[in-house]
Amino acid sequence: MGVVVQNIERADPAVIDGLGAAGVATVHEAQERKGLLAPHMRPIYPGARIAGSAVTISAPPGDNWMVHVAIEQLQAGDILVLAPTSPCVDGYFGDLLATSAMARGCRGLVIDAGVRDVRDLTQMGFPVWSKAVFAQGTVKNTLGSVNVPIVCAGAAIEAGDVIVADDDGVCVVARAEAAAVLAKAQAREAAEETKRRRLAAGELGLDIYDMRPRLAETGLKYV
Amino acid sequence: MGVVVQNIERADPAVIDGLGAAGVATVHEAQERKGLLAPHMRPIYPGARIAGSAVTISAPPGDNWMVHVAIEQLQAGDILVLAPTSPCVDGYFGDLLATSAMARGCRGLVIDAGVRDVRDLTQMGFPVWSKAVFAQGTVKNTLGSVNVPIVCAGAAIEAGDVIVADDDGVCVVARAEAAAVLAKAQAREAAEETKRRRLAAGELGLDIYDMRPRLAETGLKYV
Amino acid sequence: MGVVVQNIERADPAVIDGLGAAGVATVHEAQERKGLLAPHMRPIYPGARIAGSAVTISAPPGDNWMVHVAIEQLQAGDILVLAPTSPCVDGYFGDLLATSAMARGCRGLVIDAGVRDVRDLTQMGFPVWSKAVFAQGTVKNTLGSVNVPIVCAGAAIEAGDVIVADDDGVCVVARAEAAAVLAKAQAREAAEETKRRRLAAGELGLDIYDMRPRLAETGLKYV
Amino acid sequence: MGVVVQNIERADPAVIDGLGAAGVATVHEAQERKGLLAPHMRPIYPGARIAGSAVTISAPPGDNWMVHVAIEQLQAGDILVLAPTSPCVDGYFGDLLATSAMARGCRGLVIDAGVRDVRDLTQMGFPVWSKAVFAQGTVKNTLGSVNVPIVCAGAAIEAGDVIVADDDGVCVVARAEAAAVLAKAQAREAAEETKRRRLAAGELGLDIYDMRPRLAETGLKYV
Amino acid sequence: MGVVVQNIERADPAVIDGLGAAGVATVHEAQERKGLLAPHMRPIYPGARIAGSAVTISAPPGDNWMVHVAIEQLQAGDILVLAPTSPCVDGYFGDLLATSAMARGCRGLVIDAGVRDVRDLTQMGFPVWSKAVFAQGTVKNTLGSVNVPIVCAGAAIEAGDVIVADDDGVCVVARAEAAAVLAKAQAREAAEETKRRRLAAGELGLDIYDMRPRLAETGLKYV
Amino acid sequence: MGVVVQNIERADPAVIDGLGAAGVATVHEAQERKGLLAPHMRPIYPGARIAGSAVTISAPPGDNWMVHVAIEQLQAGDILVLAPTSPCVDGYFGDLLATSAMARGCRGLVIDAGVRDVRDLTQMGFPVWSKAVFAQGTVKNTLGSVNVPIVCAGAAIEAGDVIVADDDGVCVVARAEAAAVLAKAQAREAAEETKRRRLAAGELGLDIYDMRPRLAETGLKYV
């Protein structure tokens, strides 16, 4: 506690944007189904799709002092990712902090706690994925840390990892794997396009994926 | 496990559509307040209103093999209804499966688990009522059953039962009772129209329903 | 149980409207961070912002008889606030009751239980903050009370207290403190405006609030 | 609602007792992993193991009138099984009702709601599996039904079905299948005894169940 | 925040002890079914039964500074009652604080948050009713208040109110009503004794409470 | 997925046993309040206190194949730690697996899912900390991994890390930090002994920790 790591490495911006375009479900599949944050992390408004580099915050329950500290560490394209050190739903973040973060090019917030001023945040176009919407105010009395490894909503995240977030939730991609995951995600998207056309034409997945033999072998009975 | 019932009976399409027009709250009341699925079943987007015949799926946690099997059993006007054999929030269903289901005339999905690609599903106009939005991928290794009786979100459902779903949630009507329930639902709607007008004009429910004598008798005190 | 308090005092309408304009987060802060209802209280549609005088209802689980009784006590500008006597998610309230309440000038409903007909309520513009959306019908067999002190979603509320509700949730202000809280809320809003401009211009909260010395003194280390 | 089915069929007492001796986990496996009630159903004290015929109760939230009605339907060896018509944690049942039920030979209570007087119930040796321990009192104003089909904690149960309950939770066996399930359960127990001895001696499940070839074929890599 | 009320009034010790002997369920009934804390408040070990005067604590999430302050206010026979200002499960209290509280005659702790060292507390015989058992440490940086009105687990509690706690949970009795509630509780206990004997002898509640006529009138059908 | 790491490093057995003797709360404090698993991880019986080296399992929902694989990797003094790849409460583990694990010297199981046969496990003295007790059976069809880094109940755990578990829950200590943490834990215990004696003698924490000046400075008011 009480540490701010100032120089973090980030992934290639083009890779980050590619992952954002692929979206959470595809990226999750492309990296062998890992990296998802828990499904209680919901967007405050529908339609937002972002990707960026994680600036991580480990903060005590009900204390948002470290958010101010973290904002100084933001670079354009970053995403704030906050995990409280114990379960908390307080509103660590509102429109003033969003104004400050946006001024530094921040693309959004992922917080396993609460957020407030969601009407303002929606109008500002500052997307947030959170555990709760709650106006409960926080104090500035106890240190946490910035850019240290955290576990947020069940996922291990390091500073500089790529965060992808959309209506399906939030996924983290390890920085070192980002390029490889993007390649697989794009391959997957290409492959899905063909399948989508065949399915739309009425072909069955049972046939496209040749499932019938294994279903029969496994013992499925039609009655 | 491992059974697919192929020929199920369905209710009269006109009855089904009538129940859909009446909506969940009215249908629930018309059948003496039974048949509701638990309130954690929420629509992925507001405004959808559907009714259709249940094609039921009992699937293992984290395994969507049976969804592919069930899609072959769909007829136009059907609704997929999936209950996992133990609590699960994985994303059993996404845009490819929705494409396939829509190609067969499926009206929507009711799933006591997770769904993903909700942005795509929203754009496709394929409504889903689910326990969670979660991108977690599933496997295709273990059998379940299709068109067997299930308990989904606390409600007992048989294949061919009528599912009604809207912003209020999901309700099931036993196939054999569908016509009778529709008649009661329509009678209820007609009766409500008069009440609505009187209430809008400022009359009190206390007077319209003649509640004052029984309230007094039961001991209500005005101070 | 079984008591209806008929003559309650209300706060000054101008103060009430001022509190509504300030919104939940600001009002909560202005009264030293008290009065919030639990974050499970969510609006049935986004964008509603209301303030009004609480007409409180203590009702048994699954019994909405007292809602009818409470509606007679409504004056223009009031808000119904219902706490069940034990946890319940039934749909105590729907479009007919909303029609009746609106006819008497009611501005909305805050209910630590369920609500139904949410599509109709949305179209009518009758806002509700609730624990659940659930069509489950209720009976009219057991007495409760109206305009007695209640605990609703964790907040102690007395009849005539000011309820403020928006996308951030719900906050209660004691009637006697309403004017003083409004003054503080407006002062806070004025002060925030300057900060917002400075933050938008790229200044850091660390500097605006002069946090660096205390962070250093508390032991924060930059590495 | 409002129906009491008086003459229900029960399974053979010897079969019932055999299922009780086998216990929940074994019975659940013996009937192909169906029939479990949700894991929130916990015993009020450890060590109880019972089996009996279900006398089912469908009761409104917060109203235990039907429990009194159901007690008259009890025969020696029965188990009361109560499902509220909507989620509820009130204390429907306490020491007086337990005294009455025990006087009629009732073996215990399974309730997807609350129970109270648990200290007394423990001393009386009257076991209960419940969703909650909660002293909240209930009323006697609204009808429910007795010995109708219910869904209790996610499991469909009919009057006369066999209920098995122990420290692992609660399982229901359809009356018509009880004898066949018992036979399978006993076969399973016999088979497990050999395995237990081999495992205790240090043999691995990998070898006893010959898992290594399929693990290798599926792609497991040792590094 | 930041206030310690030093001189609080307490109920008559004999009344307090009488309420403790009556127990939670009886006291709750005797005061017309009010005053229960939510059922998530569970004892850390079975069998404890206490009653005492509430010394209330309003504390920030994750900060137990005020517990130290409150202990100075304890008199023999008191019970500490802590409500966090927002939801929290941290371990505010452990064996050292229990040692200190016991040294001042404290009878136990009721906390809508977490507790730790439960093995030690059990051995010391210091009973706790809590929302969670969790070792998470807390800080001492932010003020709260002592002996102010709080809402704890859904119940409004004032300093000096009587707390009754046993295996059924926790109930609060307003100080001013304590003697009257005790009288009713004792009357209830006396009345129950007769009923218990009749029920144990096999008489039915249906007959003892003369329920059959009203059941028939309400429409109950035996089939 | 599909990887088994065979040779893991473990901490010094004396250090492990020392951490076990210190217990969860003390170890958690000694390592600056990190490493706790979420409070939903509860022991199946009270009184167990263990420490050991983590053999980690990442398993699909409802599939316990990898438990068999992991048991082969156990050495005397190890603890199995299982995290499902998505939320699951199925009963992955029962008395047969416990027999096998005990035969290899395993000290217990930590599982963020369900466990069954808890009566047998209790009699065998095989302690388990789990999210649920649930008899639901699992399959053996899909690979997971053994001895890879996992996140279990919110805590990041690597194979060979030290697990400490008792009635307060579960804590993980990084292998490399184990000796240092033990030293701090023992220092803490020594320091606490003095405090305990002073507190038992009636001294106040306010005085022992010299809190009064900072409380006054922060603004605490006695009234």
Side-chain angles (χ1 to χ4, degrees):
Chain A
M1 282 297 129
V3 174
V4 182
V5 178
Q6 289 183 281
N7 297 306
I8 63 170
E9 290 187 80
R10 291 167 173 82
D12 178 338
V15 169
I16 293 171
D17 289 348
L19 290 168
V24 167
T26 297
V27 166
H28 160 70
E29 289 285 345
Q31 66 178 342
E32 295 187 11
R33 301 185 172 171
K34 67 184 186 193
L36 283 183
L37 277 67
H40 67 244
M41 299 296 287
R42 299 302 303 145
I44 58 169
Y45 57 85
R49 306 181 70 174
I50 62 168
S53 301
V55 167
T56 63
I57 306 171
S58 172
D63 193 307
N64 75 346
W65 213 6
M66 286 304 110
V67 180
H68 290 274
V69 173
I71 285 175
E72 189 178 28
Q73 305 303 320
L74 286 171
Q75 295 187 4
D78 285 349
I79 295 175
L80 289 167
V81 183
L82 187 151
T85 52
S86 65
C88 187
V89 289
D90 290 358
Y92 284 76
F93 194 95
D95 74 321
L96 286 182
L97 285 168
T99 299
S100 182
M102 284 184 88
R104 299 186 80 81
C106 181
R107 291 185 174 173
L109 166 70
V110 170
I111 178 167
D112 193 13
V115 64
R116 64 185 188 180
D117 300 329
V118 294
R119 179 193 181 99
D120 295 324
L121 298 180
T122 302
Q123 286 169 352
M124 294 163 68
F126 186 85
V128 178
W129 285 256
S130 72
K131 182 182 182 180
V133 173
F134 196 30
Q136 179 69 45
T138 51
V139 296
K140 288 161 188 56
N141 286 335
T142 307
L143 293 183
S145 290
V146 171
N147 283 334
V148 295
I150 59 174
V151 173
C152 182
I157 301 178
E158 303 204 14
D161 283 350
V162 183
I163 301 296
V164 184
D166 61 21
D167 290 328
D168 281 349
V170 185
C171 189
V172 60
V173 179
R175 188 180 53 78
E177 301 173 8
V181 170
L182 176 59
K184 284 185 195 161
Q186 290 172 334
R188 185 179 168 90
E189 281 184 324
E192 283 198 343
E193 201 39 48
T194 312
K195 289 177 200 161
R196 187 173 292 109
R197 237 170 308 129
R198 292 175 67 183
L199 291 165
E203 271 191 90
L204 288 168
L206 291 178
D207 298 314
I208 295 177
Y209 306 112
D210 194 24
M211 290 174 173
R212 295 188 197 272
R214 196 157 70 97
L215 283 167
E217 179 194 345
T218 314
L220 188 66
K221 286 186 192 62
Y222 285 85
V223 299
Chain B
M1 284 295 129
V3 174
V4 182
V5 178
Q6 289 183 281
N7 297 306
I8 63 170
E9 291 187 79
R10 290 167 173 83
D12 177 339
V15 168
I16 293 171
D17 290 347
L19 290 167
V24 167
T26 297
V27 165
H28 159 69
E29 288 285 345
Q31 65 178 343
E32 296 186 12
R33 301 186 173 169
K34 67 183 186 195
L36 282 183
L37 276 66
H40 66 244
M41 299 296 287
R42 299 302 304 145
I44 58 169
Y45 57 86
R49 307 182 69 174
I50 62 168
S53 302
V55 167
T56 63
I57 306 172
S58 172
D63 194 308
N64 76 345
W65 213 6
M66 286 304 110
V67 179
H68 290 273
V69 173
I71 286 175
E72 189 178 27
Q73 305 304 318
L74 285 171
Q75 295 187 4
D78 286 350
I79 294 175
L80 289 167
V81 183
L82 188 151
T85 52
S86 65
C88 187
V89 289
D90 290 357
Y92 285 75
F93 194 95
D95 74 320
L96 286 182
L97 285 168
T99 299
S100 182
M102 284 185 88
R104 300 186 79 83
C106 181
R107 292 183 174 174
L109 167 70
V110 170
I111 179 166
D112 193 12
V115 64
R116 65 183 188 181
D117 301 328
V118 295
R119 179 193 180 99
D120 296 324
L121 298 180
T122 302
Q123 286 170 351
M124 294 163 68
F126 187 86
V128 178
W129 285 256
S130 72
K131 182 181 181 180
V133 173
F134 196 30
Q136 178 69 43
T138 51
V139 296
K140 290 161 187 54
N141 286 335
T142 307
L143 295 183
S145 290
V146 172
N147 282 335
V148 295
I150 59 174
V151 172
C152 182
I157 301 178
E158 303 204 15
D161 283 349
V162 183
I163 301 297
V164 183
D166 61 22
D167 290 326
D168 281 348
V170 184
C171 190
V172 59
V173 180
R175 188 179 53 77
E177 300 173 7
V181 170
L182 175 58
K184 284 185 193 160
Q186 289 173 335
R188 185 179 169 88
E189 281 184 325
E192 284 198 345
E193 202 37 49
T194 312
K195 290 176 200 162
R196 187 174 292 109
R197 237 169 309 125
R198 293 176 65 183
L199 291 166
E203 272 191 89
L204 288 168
L206 291 179
D207 298 313
I208 296 176
Y209 306 112
D210 194 24
M211 290 173 173
R212 295 189 198 272
R214 196 156 72 95
L215 283 167
E217 177 193 345
T218 313
L220 188 66
K221 286 186 190 63
Y222 285 85
V223 297
Chain C
M1 282 296 129
V3 173
V4 183
V5 178
Q6 288 182 283
N7 297 306
I8 64 171
E9 291 186 79
R10 290 166 174 83
D12 178 337
V15 168
I16 293 172
D17 290 346
L19 290 167
V24 167
T26 297
V27 166
H28 159 69
E29 289 286 345
Q31 66 179 342
E32 296 186 13
R33 302 186 171 168
K34 66 184 187 195
L36 282 183
L37 277 65
H40 66 246
M41 299 296 287
R42 299 302 304 146
I44 58 169
Y45 57 85
R49 307 182 69 174
I50 61 169
S53 302
V55 167
T56 63
I57 306 171
S58 172
D63 194 308
N64 77 346
W65 213 7
M66 286 305 109
V67 180
H68 290 274
V69 173
I71 285 175
E72 189 178 28
Q73 305 303 319
L74 287 171
Q75 295 187 3
D78 285 350
I79 294 176
L80 289 167
V81 183
L82 187 151
T85 53
S86 65
C88 187
V89 289
D90 290 357
Y92 284 77
F93 194 94
D95 74 319
L96 287 182
L97 285 167
T99 300
S100 182
M102 285 184 85
R104 299 186 79 81
C106 181
R107 292 184 174 175
L109 166 70
V110 170
I111 178 166
D112 194 13
V115 63
R116 64 184 189 181
D117 301 328
V118 294
R119 179 192 179 99
D120 296 323
L121 298 180
T122 302
Q123 286 170 351
M124 294 163 68
F126 187 85
V128 178
W129 285 256
S130 72
K131 181 182 182 179
V133 173
F134 196 32
Q136 179 70 44
T138 50
V139 297
K140 290 162 187 54
N141 285 336
T142 306
L143 294 183
S145 290
V146 171
N147 282 334
V148 295
I150 60 175
V151 173
C152 183
I157 301 178
E158 302 204 15
D161 284 350
V162 182
I163 302 296
V164 183
D166 61 22
D167 290 329
D168 281 348
V170 185
C171 189
V172 61
V173 179
R175 188 179 53 78
E177 301 173 9
V181 170
L182 176 58
K184 285 184 193 161
Q186 289 172 335
R188 185 178 170 88
E189 281 184 324
E192 284 198 343
E193 202 38 48
T194 312
K195 290 177 199 162
R196 187 174 292 110
R197 237 169 308 128
R198 292 176 66 182
L199 292 166
E203 270 191 272
L204 288 167
L206 291 178
D207 298 313
I208 295 176
Y209 306 111
D210 193 25
M211 290 174 174
R212 295 186 197 272
R214 195 156 71 97
L215 283 167
E217 176 193 345
T218 314
L220 188 66
K221 286 185 191 64
Y222 286 85
V223 298
Chain D
M1 283 295 128
V3 173
V4 182
V5 177
Q6 289 182 281
N7 296 306
I8 63 170
E9 290 187 80
R10 289 166 174 84
D12 178 338
V15 169
I16 293 172
D17 290 347
L19 291 167
V24 166
T26 297
V27 166
H28 159 70
E29 289 285 345
Q31 65 179 344
E32 296 186 11
R33 300 185 173 170
K34 65 184 187 194
L36 282 183
L37 276 67
H40 66 245
M41 299 296 287
R42 299 303 303 145
I44 58 170
Y45 57 84
R49 306 182 69 174
I50 61 168
S53 302
V55 167
T56 63
I57 306 171
S58 172
D63 193 308
N64 77 346
W65 213 7
M66 286 305 110
V67 179
H68 290 274
V69 173
I71 286 174
E72 189 179 27
Q73 306 303 320
L74 286 170
Q75 295 187 3
D78 286 350
I79 294 175
L80 288 167
V81 184
L82 187 151
T85 53
S86 65
C88 187
V89 289
D90 290 358
Y92 285 76
F93 194 95
D95 75 320
L96 286 182
L97 285 168
T99 300
S100 182
M102 285 185 87
R104 300 186 79 81
C106 181
R107 292 183 173 174
L109 167 70
V110 171
I111 179 167
D112 194 12
V115 63
R116 65 183 189 182
D117 301 329
V118 294
R119 180 193 180 99
D120 296 323
L121 298 180
T122 302
Q123 287 170 350
M124 295 162 67
F126 187 85
V128 178
W129 285 256
S130 71
K131 181 181 182 179
V133 173
F134 196 31
Q136 178 69 44
T138 51
V139 296
K140 290 162 187 53
N141 286 335
T142 306
L143 295 183
S145 290
V146 172
N147 282 335
V148 295
I150 59 174
V151 173
C152 182
I157 301 178
E158 303 203 14
D161 284 349
V162 182
I163 301 296
V164 183
D166 61 22
D167 289 328
D168 282 348
V170 185
C171 189
V172 61
V173 179
R175 188 180 53 77
E177 300 173 7
V181 170
L182 176 59
K184 285 185 194 160
Q186 290 173 335
R188 184 178 169 90
E189 281 183 324
E192 283 198 344
E193 202 38 48
T194 311
K195 289 177 200 164
R196 187 173 292 110
R197 236 170 309 127
R198 293 175 65 183
L199 292 166
E203 269 190 271
L204 288 168
L206 291 178
D207 298 313
I208 295 176
Y209 306 112
D210 194 23
M211 290 173 174
R212 295 188 197 273
R214 196 156 71 95
L215 282 167
E217 177 192 345
T218 314
L220 188 66
K221 285 186 191 63
Y222 286 84
V223 297
Chain E
M1 282 296 129
V3 173
V4 182
V5 178
Q6 289 182 281
N7 296 307
I8 63 171
E9 290 187 79
R10 291 167 173 83
D12 177 337
V15 169
I16 293 172
D17 290 346
L19 290 167
V24 167
T26 297
V27 166
H28 158 70
E29 289 285 345
Q31 65 179 343
E32 296 186 13
R33 301 186 172 170
K34 66 184 187 194
L36 283 183
L37 277 67
H40 66 245
M41 299 296 286
R42 299 303 303 145
I44 59 169
Y45 58 85
R49 305 181 71 172
I50 61 168
S53 302
V55 168
T56 63
I57 307 171
S58 172
D63 193 308
N64 76 346
W65 212 6
M66 286 303 111
V67 179
H68 290 274
V69 173
I71 285 174
E72 190 179 26
Q73 305 303 319
L74 286 171
Q75 295 188 4
D78 286 349
I79 294 175
L80 288 168
V81 183
L82 186 151
T85 53
S86 64
C88 187
V89 289
D90 289 358
Y92 284 77
F93 194 94
D95 75 320
L96 286 182
L97 285 167
T99 299
S100 182
M102 285 184 87
R104 299 185 79 82
C106 181
R107 292 183 173 174
L109 167 70
V110 171
I111 179 167
D112 193 13
V115 63
R116 64 185 190 182
D117 300 330
V118 294
R119 179 194 181 99
D120 296 323
L121 299 180
T122 303
Q123 286 170 352
M124 295 162 68
F126 186 85
V128 178
W129 285 256
S130 72
K131 181 182 182 179
V133 173
F134 196 31
Q136 179 68 44
T138 51
V139 297
K140 290 162 187 54
N141 286 334
T142 307
L143 295 183
S145 290
V146 171
N147 282 335
V148 295
I150 59 174
V151 173
C152 183
I157 302 178
E158 303 204 15
D161 283 349
V162 183
I163 301 295
V164 184
D166 61 22
D167 290 326
D168 282 348
V170 185
C171 189
V172 60
V173 179
R175 189 181 52 78
E177 301 173 7
V181 170
L182 176 58
K184 284 184 195 162
Q186 290 172 334
R188 185 179 169 89
E189 281 184 324
E192 284 199 343
E193 202 38 47
T194 312
K195 290 176 199 164
R196 186 173 293 110
R197 237 170 308 126
R198 292 175 67 183
L199 292 166
E203 270 191 271
L204 288 168
L206 292 178
D207 298 315
I208 295 176
Y209 306 112
D210 194 25
M211 290 174 174
R212 295 187 197 273
R214 196 157 71 95
L215 283 167
E217 177 193 344
T218 314
L220 188 66
K221 286 185 191 64
Y222 286 84
V223 298
Chain F
M1 283 295 130
V3 173
V4 182
V5 178
Q6 289 182 282
N7 297 306
I8 64 171
E9 291 186 79
R10 291 166 172 82
D12 177 338
V15 169
I16 293 171
D17 290 346
L19 290 168
V24 167
T26 297
V27 167
H28 159 70
E29 288 286 346
Q31 65 178 343
E32 296 186 13
R33 301 185 172 169
K34 66 184 187 194
L36 283 183
L37 276 66
H40 67 246
M41 299 296 287
R42 299 301 304 145
I44 58 169
Y45 57 85
R49 306 182 70 173
I50 62 169
S53 302
V55 167
T56 63
I57 307 171
S58 172
D63 194 307
N64 76 345
W65 213 6
M66 286 305 109
V67 179
H68 290 274
V69 173
I71 285 174
E72 189 178 28
Q73 306 303 320
L74 286 171
Q75 295 187 4
D78 286 349
I79 294 175
L80 289 167
V81 183
L82 188 151
T85 52
S86 65
C88 187
V89 289
D90 289 358
Y92 284 76
F93 194 96
D95 75 319
L96 286 182
L97 285 167
T99 299
S100 182
M102 285 184 87
R104 299 187 79 82
C106 181
R107 292 183 174 175
L109 167 70
V110 171
I111 179 167
D112 193 13
V115 63
R116 64 185 188 181
D117 300 328
V118 294
R119 179 192 180 99
D120 296 324
L121 298 180
T122 302
Q123 285 171 352
M124 294 163 68
F126 187 86
V128 179
W129 286 256
S130 72
K131 182 181 181 180
V133 173
F134 196 32
Q136 179 69 45
T138 50
V139 296
K140 290 160 187 55
N141 286 335
T142 307
L143 295 183
S145 290
V146 171
N147 283 335
V148 295
I150 59 174
V151 173
C152 184
I157 301 177
E158 302 204 16
D161 283 349
V162 183
I163 302 296
V164 183
D166 61 21
D167 290 328
D168 281 349
V170 185
C171 189
V172 60
V173 180
R175 188 180 53 78
E177 300 173 8
V181 170
L182 175 59
K184 284 185 195 162
Q186 290 172 334
R188 185 178 169 89
E189 281 184 323
E192 284 199 343
E193 202 37 49
T194 311
K195 290 177 200 162
R196 187 174 291 109
R197 236 168 311 126
R198 294 175 65 182
L199 292 166
E203 271 190 89
L204 288 169
L206 291 178
D207 298 313
I208 295 176
Y209 306 112
D210 194 24
M211 290 173 174
R212 295 187 197 273
R214 195 156 71 96
L215 283 167
E217 176 193 348
T218 314
L220 188 65
K221 286 187 191 63
Y222 286 84
V223 297

